[in-house]
Amino acid sequence: NAGVTQTPKFQVLKTGQSMTLQCAQDMNHEYMSWYRQDPGMGLRLIHYSVGAGITDQGEVPNGYNVSRSTTEDFPLRLLSAAPSQTSVYFCASRETGSGQPQHFGDGTRLSIL
Amino acid sequence: ELKVEQNPLFLSMQEGKNYTIYCNYSTTSDRLYWYRQDPGKSLESLFVLLSNGAVKQEGRLMASLDTKARLSTLHITAAVHDLSATYFCAAREGGADGLTFGKGTHLIIQP
């Protein structure tokens, strides 16, 4: 059971480039989320999904797009990378039901030059 | 808008001592989470607290929730070096998904 798998683990981009961060889970979880973690800021919610075909914005959605065509996958797209998007990105998923914790992937460390 | 504040943000303590990390949240939340993060690693779920007065314990860690005071605590008993990590609390606004995190408490336990 792989849990939540994020790829790539590291990436360096130039300003203006686009890319997709991949997130896949094999636990059949309906709920999936993307967070970014910056030093001294904790984690901030970017987008989330409560099931295939349903997504919504979190606290810091600008500059990012998501889609959820399957239960397993929840990719995060950077449309035109900016240095302010340099961060560690975490994907998480959880089971339906009260009080279920979110399970986090290992993160993608993204640097934008 | 839900806001979550932790204190202290940094804590250095000696092995064998007890200490408490505090987590305040600003609006009604229907659940409170505690996570641990080791340097360069992912987040590990420690506790989920669902109701007023909830108390959960695992080893030397105990978490509690007071929804009336909008306060959760993480108490460390007789700290050991292996508990050195960053601890986050997070809350969920009722009816929404996704969590609002505190900034984390960086805990160093000195032998």
Side-chain angles (χ1 to χ4, degrees):
Chain A
N1 190 343
V4 179
T5 302
Q6 292 184 237
T7 56
K9 294 192 184 305
F10 303 93
Q11 184 70 49
V12 179
L13 291 179
K14 294 182 180 178
T15 298
Q17 288 185 314
S18 62
M19 82 159 294
T20 300
L21 308 186
Q22 302 291 345
C23 176
Q25 52 92 9
D26 61 359
M27 298 174 283
N28 203 32
H29 288 172
E30 290 294 328
Y31 294 87
M32 296 186 75
S33 308
W34 276 102
Y35 297 86
R36 60 178 287 174
Q37 183 176 29
D38 302 296
M41 296 290 291
L43 279 79
R44 292 181 291 170
L45 181 66
I46 305 171
H47 285 284
Y48 65 95
S49 170
V50 299
I54 306 169
T55 64
D56 206 346
Q57 296 181 352
E59 179 186 356
V60 289
N62 292 341
Y64 307 96
N65 273 359
V66 293
S67 60
R68 184 95 180 271
S69 57
T70 67
T71 299
E72 294 78 18
D73 299 300
F74 190 41
L76 178 72
R77 297 182 187 83
L78 278 70
L79 308 173
S80 177
S84 61
Q85 294 178 304
T86 293
S87 189
V88 181
Y89 291 84
F90 286 99
C91 179
S93 73
R94 72 169 182 90
E95 292 182 67
T96 306
S98 178
Q100 296 299 322
Q102 298 209 3
H103 300 270
F104 285 83
D106 288 339
T108 294
R109 284 150 183 79
L110 181 63
S111 292
I112 300 165
L113 307 177
Chain B
E1 180 188 352
L2 175 61
K3 294 190 185 300
V4 177
E5 290 190 1
Q6 284 182 242
N7 69 84
L9 298 182
F10 181 82
L11 177 59
S12 179
M13 55 193 292
Q14 289 185 317
E15 279 191 325
K17 301 292 188 182
N18 303 331
Y19 209 80
T20 301
I21 300 170
Y22 297 88
C23 175
N24 289 93
Y25 53 97
S26 60
T27 64
T28 301
S29 174
D30 62 352
R31 55 209 67 188
L32 197 292
Y33 302 79
W34 284 96
Y35 286 88
R36 168 181 172 149
Q37 186 180 38
D38 293 303
K41 302 295 185 181
S42 185
L43 281 80
E44 173 191 356
S45 176
L46 296 175
F47 302 108
V48 181
L49 303 169
L50 298 180
S51 59
N52 187 44
V55 177
K56 291 195 174 180
Q57 183 163 4
E58 181 73 33
R60 301 175 187 273
L61 301 178
M62 183 175 70
S64 66
L65 178 62
D66 180 344
T67 58
K68 294 178 182 176
R70 296 178 183 163
L71 171 68
S72 180
T73 61
L74 180 66
H75 186 74
I76 302 154
T77 301
V80 293
H81 178 67
D82 287 351
L83 291 178
S84 296
T86 298
Y87 292 85
F88 291 95
C89 67
R92 196 193 85 154
E93 219 161 348
D97 208 79
L99 300 178
T100 299
F101 280 79
K103 293 184 178 182
T105 297
H106 184 200
L107 175 63
I108 295 176
I109 299 169
Q110 318 249 11

